[in-house]
């Protein structure tokens, strides 16, 4: 193919384009946001990402109807990132990516968040983790039950990929929705 | 009573103190936050206020482990302020104060929020409004059902206090919790 000014696309460039197309620069977060939007569009579930918690320390009022935050800091979240309703039930999860090919470091989940996941599980909510191993291009759903069980029996600071392979559910990438995690939840909670 | 330096407390000052004590400077929001903390402490329900949604436009990294937000703006919320789990069920509500003695202006609730409340109601979640008439010192719980019914039959831009008196539940101020809105929910959902 000929380009303007006689520039020819090299195979090197094409390779780059392919990679970009394949991954689409999509993070787990944007995949989940798009999937949640789809679930809302088809009236299946209403699940949202919570706003990022921040502490506002300086605010400006340049005009009557405008407020500008001039200084704020990110704060440690006390709960998980996503929650909502599915079939009348409360659903709650945390999503994390890791570059590691061998394990998910537990430092990625704050102690407050672990306690929160336990609370939701104990109160019969649907709670889980969505963990993406970006280098493996694998995304797993690990239920609160399996997560808590693991924490009870280990002293390790991470969850090995083996534990995911044996105890979590691999989510295949799809089109609509991008990651159909509710399909797994359907199988887990049965015919509600 | 004699004060140091011979200062005598006037009855005018005392009146002020009484007023401060009675209202304790508590907003509906802080009452709800304290009540939710209590519900969590006694392991009854896990309900949180969502962080305020903002759009971050400038960020500074003065040192490696510190991030400062230098410019951000408040954005219109697409959902309500509070949600969580109670008895395995999804619970969701919006809380607002009004100084009016006669009506609650519907401009206080964004169209997105109304749609959200409808969605939660249609999916068998527990959804409602907590409205405080500060001048009357009265706080009402108005269920999503009664709220939606009102919107269907009216062209008005506000909900008159009469509608609250006849269709909503008056919540008496308490000590622990400050406002026991789950007591009303218990009566509504029956012996789950």
């Amino acid at each position: 193919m000929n380009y303007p000014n006689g520039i020819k696309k090299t195979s090197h460039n094409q390779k780059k384009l392919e990679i970009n197309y394949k991954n689409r620069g999509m993070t787990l977060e944007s995949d989940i946001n798009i999937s949640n939007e789809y679930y809302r569009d088809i009236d299946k579930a209403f699940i949202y990402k919570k706003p990022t918690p921040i502490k506002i320390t300086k605010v400006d009022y340049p005009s009557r109807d405008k407020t500008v935050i001039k200084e704020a800091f990110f704060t440690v979240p006390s709960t998980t990132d996503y929650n909502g309703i599915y079939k009348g039930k409360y659903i709650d999860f945390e999503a994390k990516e890791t570059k590691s090919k061998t394990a998910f470091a537990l430092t990625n989940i704050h102690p407050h968040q672990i306690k929160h996941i336990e609370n939701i599980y104990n109160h019969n909510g649907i709670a889980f983790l969505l963990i993406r191993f970006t280098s493996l291009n694998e995304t797993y759903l690990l239920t609160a039950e399996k997560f808590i069980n693991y924490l009870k029996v280990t002293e390790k600071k991470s969850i090995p990929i083996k534990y995911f392979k044996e105890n979590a559910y691999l989510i295949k990438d799809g089109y609509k929705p991008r990651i159909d995690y509710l399909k797994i939840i359907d199988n887990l909670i049965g015919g509600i």
Side-chain angles (χ1 to χ4, degrees), chain A:
Chain A
M1 189 177 168
N2 289 314
Y3 282 77
N5 303 326
I7 294 167
K8 253 196 176 175
K9 200 145 201 171
T10 64
S11 62
H12 174 73
N13 278 343
Q14 280 179 352
K15 175 78 179 169
K16 260 193 186 165
L17 277 174
E18 271 164 34
I19 291 170
N20 283 341
Y21 176 73
K22 196 179 171 193
N23 291 331
R24 289 179 206 168
M26 295 295 258
T27 60
L28 177 58
E29 181 181 324
S30 64
D31 278 353
I32 293 170
N33 289 343
I34 288 170
S35 302
N36 287 344
E37 218 177 296
Y38 175 76
Y39 289 142
R40 289 197 292 272
D41 283 348
I42 62 167
D43 199 39
K44 187 180 173 78
F46 291 87
I47 299 159
Y48 289 86
K49 184 175 192 296
K50 287 177 212 161
T52 308
I54 60 163
K55 192 186 173 187
I56 298 168
T57 45
K58 269 187 211 163
V59 171
D60 242 31
Y61 303 91
S63 68
R64 214 184 140 187
D65 55 353
K66 208 170 184 179
T67 306
V68 186
I69 298 158
K70 297 301 281 182
E71 192 184 80
F73 299 88
F74 294 106
T75 57
V76 174
S78 52
T79 65
T80 50
D81 271 356
Y82 301 87
N83 75 355
I85 186 171
Y86 181 47
K87 295 181 175 174
K89 284 180 81 75
Y90 178 80
I91 189 165
D92 191 302
F93 62 95
E94 182 67 19
K96 291 285 178 201
E97 290 187 342
T98 178
K99 285 176 186 165
S100 166
K101 291 179 181 177
T102 54
F104 173 74
L106 286 168
T107 46
N108 284 306
I109 314 272
H110 300 289
H112 275 129
Q113 296 182 307
I114 294 174
K115 185 70 196 138
H116 176 73
I117 290 166
E118 280 180 355
N119 288 334
I120 302 310
Y121 173 69
N122 290 336
H123 282 254
N124 298 315
I126 304 165
F128 53 90
L129 301 177
L130 287 182
I131 307 294
R132 177 173 288 175
F133 291 83
T134 53
S135 307
L136 306 172
N137 202 25
E138 288 177 351
T139 306
Y140 290 94
L141 186 154
L142 182 67
T143 62
E145 188 183 8
K146 295 283 184 180
F147 177 51
I148 294 162
N149 283 350
Y150 180 80
L151 297 178
K152 272 183 192 158
V153 298
T154 192
E155 293 291 315
K156 284 183 192 165
K157 295 281 195 296
S158 66
I159 309 176
I161 183 78
K162 190 170 180 284
Y163 191 79
F164 284 93
K165 286 188 191 297
E166 289 170 5
N167 296 280
Y169 300 86
L170 183 66
I171 305 178
K172 289 209 174 72
D173 277 5
Y175 170 54
K176 278 194 170 188
R178 287 278 299 165
I179 43 167
D180 196 1
Y181 61 89
L182 288 182
K183 200 175 173 183
I184 292 163
I185 298 304
D186 279 331
N187 290 333
L188 289 174
I189 61 179
I192 288 178

